Amino acid sequence: MSDVIDVEANLQRSNDVVELSVTNNGEKRFGNESKMVEEKNKWSSDRRNIQLAHPFATQSSRAVSAKPSKRNLPKERRARSSIVARLNEEILEEETKMKFYKISKFNFFVFVLPTFISLWYSAAILFPPEARSGKWSFVLWTNGALADNKDGVPSICPRASICSEGFFQIILITLARLTAFASYVTVGITFATKMHSMIHFFASTYLSTFAPFEGLHHIHKHLGSAYAGLAFLHTIVHLIRWGIRKELGTQLTTQTGTSGYLAMITMILVVCCMSPYAKRMKWMTFERRLNVHWLFILLVVILCFHNKRTMIITLIFSGMWLVDFA
């Protein structure tokens, strides 16, 4: 215990000497300052060694290496810490609300509203031809095609590839048409989320308060999967309807049918190569998956032969992406 007291006394004298070594005007100096700092460091080291050798040293000597706990903090400091923690929680909660509000606005104006308009346009064919000339003409933008055939069976038959008779076939063609028009919106946003030059430009404008530019890659991933899902459902519904009408062999040999199943095969490759299952395969490196993902260019070419509307929409968005990429 006497060793501890002697070291503490020497350490205190060293502190006093070092504090007096330099005055305010820097003129008076006492002794060699560097030598006194070395002695102080030596006494501090001796003090720590003695504390380890004397477990019954005083609390003041053990406090040198002890970390301050929350209980030992003054009440004022604990109060300030709690206030800061509460403010951080409020700021985080406010940022979360603003981010949710931002994403909600973006989803509504960029995805929900265009999809609703596209689906409503596609649904006009499900009305009778005379519906557009009546009081609902302002909401029907194309002529209807629902009518009774010569046998009195409800049918929709504007062209051979979508000709449907009976309620079940009409339900199938309705699903096929709705999934097709919904996919037009998803393919447009999927291309737009990879227009990096446009994104970097608008990220420094007022639009950054509206669009979540920092999360467009996740939107690209989810909407790409949604586009593949819609295309798959569209293909299955057509195959079922052609099977019911016993036209499967005939329709698959047409330009629309051939381009349709070729596009579906290409779509599966493009989407699955970036799926979590492909990432877990050791032989599927990132470079290989990226090379397979570039098959979307082949998909664009195939879709241009599917039908006129699909060709126009695909060329618009893929052309915008190509200009941005170049």
Side-chain angles (χ1 to χ4, degrees), residues 46 62 159 213 231 286:
D46 294 339
R62 291 199 309 269
R159 58 182 183 272
F213 291 110
F286 175 77

Side-chain angles (χ1 to χ4, degrees), residues 18-169:
V18 173
E19 291 175 357
L20 291 175
S21 62
V22 180
T23 60
N24 292 334
N25 56 12
E27 295 178 356
K28 294 183 179 181
R29 296 182 179 273
F30 296 91
N32 191 341
E33 182 177 342
S34 61
K35 183 177 180 180
M36 284 185 277
V37 171
E38 292 178 0
E39 292 178 358
K40 178 181 177 180
N41 294 335
K42 179 182 177 182
W43 288 333
S44 299
S45 177
D46 294 339
R47 181 179 182 179
R48 286 192 295 269
N49 294 334
I50 293 174
Q51 287 170 7
L52 295 174
H54 295 273
F56 299 100
T58 59
Q59 184 176 358
S60 61
S61 62
R62 291 199 309 269
V64 174
S65 61
K67 295 182 179 179
S69 63
K70 191 173 181 180
R71 294 182 179 179
N72 296 331
L73 293 175
K75 293 183 178 180
E76 295 82 0
R77 187 174 176 184
R78 290 202 302 270
R80 287 196 300 268
S81 300
S82 61
I83 292 173
V84 171
R86 187 168 63 252
L87 288 175
N88 290 335
E89 291 178 359
E90 293 177 358
I91 292 172
L92 181 61
E93 182 179 357
E94 188 67 22
E95 289 178 351
T96 304
K97 289 181 180 179
M98 292 297 295
K99 185 177 180 180
F100 176 78
Y101 180 64
K102 181 179 180 180
I103 295 176
S104 299
K105 288 195 302 182
F106 178 82
N107 290 337
F108 177 77
F109 288 105
V110 176
F111 179 71
V112 176
L113 187 60
T115 302
F116 175 79
I117 295 173
S118 179
L119 293 180
W120 182 250
Y121 177 85
S122 68
I125 198 176
L126 305 175
F127 290 83
E130 62 272 11
R132 197 178 183 192
S133 60
K135 61 180 180 179
W136 298 105
S137 59
F138 68 97
V139 294
L140 296 178
W141 304 325
T142 58
N143 294 325
L146 179 62
D148 293 338
N149 60 10
K150 60 182 180 180
D151 298 327
V153 179
S155 63
I156 296 176
C157 197
R159 58 182 183 272
S161 60
I162 62 173
C163 192
S164 304
E165 296 175 328
F167 288 106
F168 185 63
Q169 293 184 28

Side-chain angles (χ1 to χ4, degrees), residues 190-219:
T190 302
F191 274 109
T193 51
K194 285 302 175 181
M195 298 179 188
H196 296 297
S197 298
M198 181 191 70
I199 292 171
H200 289 316
F201 173 77
F202 286 115
S204 58
T205 64
Y206 177 74
L207 284 178
S208 60
T209 62
F210 169 76
F213 291 110
E214 67 282 356
L216 290 184
H217 175 71
H218 298 286
I219 295 175

Side-chain angles (χ1 to χ4, degrees), residues 122 126 156 164 169-179 237:
S122 68
L126 305 175
I156 296 176
S164 304
Q169 293 184 28
I170 290 175
I171 291 174
L172 293 176
I173 195 60
T174 301
L175 289 175
R177 191 168 177 82
L178 293 179
T179 52
V237 169

Side-chain angles (χ1 to χ4, degrees), residues 237-280:
V237 169
H238 270 310
L239 292 176
I240 294 174
R241 188 177 58 82
W242 290 340
I244 293 174
R245 295 179 58 83
K246 299 179 180 179
E247 298 176 349
L248 189 60
T250 304
Q251 292 296 337
L252 286 178
T253 57
T254 62
Q255 179 176 319
T256 302
T258 304
S259 60
Y261 69 75
L262 288 178
M264 194 65 249
I265 295 173
T266 310
M267 173 72 71
I268 293 173
L269 295 175
V270 170
V271 174
C272 290
C273 69
M274 290 297 174
S275 65
Y277 302 102
K279 293 179 181 179
R280 286 197 287 266

